[in-house]
Amino acid sequence: MPFIANTPQQQKQMLKEIGLSMSAGGCLTADGLFADIPKEFLAKEFKLPEGMSEFDVRNRLAELAGKNHINLTCFLGGGFYDHFIPAAVYSIIGRSEFYTAYTPYQPEISQGTLQAIFEYQSVICRLTEMQAANASLYDGGTALYEAVMMALRITGRNKIIIDDSVNPIYRVMIHSYTKNLSIDLDETKNDEGLINRKELLNRLDDNTAAVIVQNPNFFGCVDDFTDMAEAAHKKGALLIVSCYPISLGILKTPGAMGADIVTGEGQSLGLPMSFGGPYLGFMATKKDYVRKMPGRIVGRTKDNKDRTGFVLTLQAREQHIRRDKATSNICSNEALCALTALVYMSLLGKEGLKETAQLCADKASYAWQKLTAIKGVKPRFGAKWFFNEFVLDLPANAADVAGKLIEKGFAAGFPLSRYYEGMENSLLVGITEKRTKQQIGMLAESLEAVL
Amino acid sequence: MAPENLFYTKDHEWAEINGDVATIGITDYAQHSLGEITFVELPAIKKQVKAHDVLAVVESSKAASDVYSPLAGEVVQVNDELSSKPELINQDCFKTGWICKLKVSKPDTKNLMNASQYEEYLKTI
């Protein structure tokens, strides 16, 4: 599409047409543009610094980046994990036909992009054992929020019960996204690191749209929610499960548990850890609910000459088509990130994924033994199943200890006091297949030394 | 084109009134404009609607359109067959492609058009 320049005269004319004018300095007055927004909803100020030259900006960014500790051995998890990414992943997604492809608004001419999305959806369905997946969402948190909205649409109810063992960042996101909606968001407090079944069942009523749980949960604990799915369904509510895709290589899938909507963060599937993303939210559901699912869904079909083709099967409720009735106000997907996940999973294959998951679990188990053997270090939650992450109670403030370990070259874990009261000494330690026996040993030695 | 015995709205719905039951659907003009219909979201039984309330949603491959109720009433029956065969609306919008039936105690047809008025109206758009 050629860039079309407008003359100042034409700009004036266009503005006049929509009832706006330019100020003397040739600037559009924001007042005119935002006239339809009530004053109390307008931002008072933007707190933006003055403009800088490119040279100054580069220096400033380099200075900020210099504050980062890089080359730390990573034992941090909490939703994002330091998994190994085969070089082939980058080589494949870096091809220009993949790298530059944008969302297929002219689907007929984007067969390659559509096929890639279709394959991604298929892989997510098989991974979660669900019947339909969409073309992807921004990240695990937005995906979970969208699942909430979807459950409200499906059930026509407005109560959501969420256990606080669900990722606190996701919970904050749901709270802030739904702040101005009439949703009854009921939060239960976890029971010794697992979902609070008793409380969840108590609060489950005829007004409940969905119960939200996570597996493995934020504390790394592994659970089976089959009973919760049954209980929710009996009350006409849905079960939403947020999950960690790598763990599905060996754990019981949300689909097998009877989940209605499954979401999660796809970063572990070949995407690098990155401060804020881009990340990948995935979402899958049962076939019956597919029309209530946000975003687009690509389908495979046959054309009139019986040739296989790919189409945007479901997009009629997308924002660009039907804004007021759209199923979501997010109108794009994370196409390249979804492709990355697809490439990663196809390179690993079924066995590779299983092996990766098993390695994570085995190494975490080894690390757990090593770390809990240190005097004063105890597992926070009795003997429970965990996947690749677990909570330790230290004999000192966990944030302080984590700070000291950074000086020794370790990102030792996530201090839970940031999100949970009464867990000042608790550290969430995550292990991936990348951590070696030697690194785990060194972490244990260093931890012992700083305590 | 537009059957004589029906009432029509400007939004291209039709209503066939039999005693206190009105059968509702969309017109040939509507189905033709929408193109291939892929899904129909039917109203819930017992749903109360006023005239011009949204009754159903008809999706074609590239749009989802509201179907407004021509009359006030209560939904007493829906055409379940549309769930698996939405194309019935394209094939025969006035018969097998009906959408739902409303119980209407006092059908208020004064804002509706008859067949010839609707045909005239179509010429103006």
Side-chain angles (χ1 to χ4, degrees), chain A residues 143-371:
Chain A
L144 193 57
Y145 154 75
E146 293 288 356
V148 167
M149 298 312 287
M150 192 176 151
L152 301 180
R153 281 195 293 277
I154 292 169
T155 60
R157 301 172 175 186
N158 77 337
K159 180 173 158 181
I160 297 287
I161 310 175
I162 185 165
D163 194 77
D164 78 349
S165 59
V166 173
N167 192 323
I169 300 161
Y170 297 177
R171 283 183 286 123
V172 168
M173 286 172 78
I174 293 173
H175 274 284
S176 75
Y177 276 31
T178 61
K179 200 172 163 230
N180 294 321
L181 305 176
S182 57
I183 293 173
D184 177 7
L185 205 54
D186 198 357
E187 205 162 285
T188 50
K189 200 176 174 322
N190 74 87
D191 178 19
E192 272 297 295
L194 290 180
I195 56 164
N196 196 327
R197 285 188 156 69
K198 207 175 142 199
E199 267 303 302
L200 283 170
L201 293 174
N202 269 342
R203 298 194 200 178
L204 191 62
D205 59 22
D206 294 337
N207 196 30
T208 307
V211 177
I212 306 178
V213 291
Q214 182 177 318
N215 195 48
N217 68 22
F218 193 69
F219 308 118
C221 298
V222 168
D223 207 338
D224 182 350
F225 301 127
T226 310
D227 58 333
M228 287 311 302
E230 280 167 15
H233 293 158
K234 248 182 221 163
K235 286 278 183 193
L238 307 182
L239 183 76
I240 300 173
V241 178
S242 175
C243 62
Y244 174 11
I246 292 283
S247 76
L248 298 178
I250 52 172
L251 294 183
K252 184 168 173 178
T253 63
M257 293 179 193
D260 299 282
I261 309 172
V262 180
T263 64
E265 172 53 63
Q267 176 272 327
S268 58
L269 302 171
L271 292 157
M273 292 211 288
S274 159
F275 192 79
Y279 285 136
L280 169 68
F282 63 85
M283 175 183 258
T285 190
K286 293 176 174 169
K287 204 177 168 200
D288 286 351
Y289 302 140
V290 81
R291 297 225 168 234
K292 306 285 184 187
M293 179 147 67
R296 57 184 67 106
I297 296 162
V298 173
R300 186 171 60 191
T301 186
K302 289 243 157 79
D303 72 0
N304 59 5
K305 294 193 180 74
D306 214 33
R307 295 174 302 195
T308 298
F310 297 89
V311 287
L312 276 183
T313 307
L314 283 174
Q315 61 161 346
R317 280 150 200 269
E318 280 223 274
Q319 200 199 24
H320 67 280
I321 305 261
R322 204 166 180 255
R323 186 163 292 227
D324 58 328
K325 294 278 166 60
T327 42
S328 164
N329 60 0
I330 298 174
C331 194
S332 53
N333 69 303
E334 296 275 276
L336 188 63
C337 297
L339 179 77
T340 309
L342 169 65
V343 169
Y344 174 85
M345 282 188 276
S346 40
L347 286 173
L348 257 69
K350 224 172 168 179
E351 285 307 313
L353 190 73
K354 201 169 143 187
E355 209 176 301
T356 304
Q358 193 62 54
L359 272 171
C360 290
D362 291 349
K363 290 188 175 195
S365 185
Y366 174 75
W368 187 89
Q369 283 171 24
K370 278 298 225 190
L371 296 170

Side-chain angles (χ1 to χ4, degrees), chain A residues 17-33:
Chain A
E17 197 65 35
I18 56 170
L20 296 172
S21 60
M22 266 190 216
S23 71
C27 288
L28 248 187
T29 55
D31 295 355
L33 270 182

Side-chain angles (χ1 to χ4, degrees), chain B residues 3 28 108 116:
Chain B
D28 191 58
D108 181 7
S116 57

Side-chain angles (χ1 to χ4, degrees), chain A residues 107-108 291-292 312-317 321-322 325, chain B residues 38-39 41 54 57 59-66:
Chain A
E108 305 77 17
R291 297 225 168 234
K292 306 285 184 187
L312 276 183
T313 307
L314 283 174
Q315 61 161 346
R317 280 150 200 269
I321 305 261
R322 204 166 180 255
K325 294 278 166 60
Chain B
T38 53
F39 179 70
E41 189 180 308
V54 174
V57 180
E59 271 185 34
S60 57
S61 52
K62 286 196 175 175
S65 311
D66 290 330

Side-chain angles (χ1 to χ4, degrees), chain B residues 1-122:
Chain B
M1 195 73 146
E4 288 292 331
N5 56 329
L6 309 180
F7 291 99
Y8 299 89
T9 68
K10 286 190 169 178
D11 300 311
H12 312 287
E13 291 93 8
W14 57 261
E16 181 184 17
I17 303 173
N18 272 320
D20 64 351
V21 174
T23 308
I24 315 291
I26 63 169
T27 66
D28 191 58
Y29 174 85
Q31 71 80 13
H32 200 78
S33 310
L34 287 168
E36 197 181 325
I37 288 165
T38 53
F39 179 70
V40 183
E41 189 180 308
L42 296 164
I45 301 282
K46 287 191 179 166
K47 179 180 171 159
Q48 302 277 345
V49 287
K50 294 196 289 288
H52 209 66
D53 277 357
V54 174
L55 194 58
V57 180
V58 175
E59 271 185 34
S60 57
S61 52
K62 286 196 175 175
S65 311
D66 290 330
V67 175
Y68 301 99
S69 185
L71 297 156
E74 181 187 313
V75 178
V76 287
Q77 204 185 334
V78 294
N79 186 0
D80 278 325
E81 220 179 330
L82 292 178
S83 306
S84 55
K85 288 184 192 161
E87 64 272 19
L88 286 176
I89 292 184
N90 292 119
Q91 287 161 6
D92 191 352
C93 61
F94 293 114
K95 292 220 168 66
T96 49
W98 64 280
I99 292 173
C100 67
K101 294 188 182 196
L102 294 181
K103 188 171 168 141
V104 283
S105 38
K106 280 187 210 147
D108 181 7
T109 58
K110 71 172 186 291
N111 290 322
L112 301 178
M113 292 176 273
N114 64 30
S116 57
Q117 285 167 327
Y118 181 64
E119 298 269 12
E120 281 305 307
Y121 170 66
L122 286 183

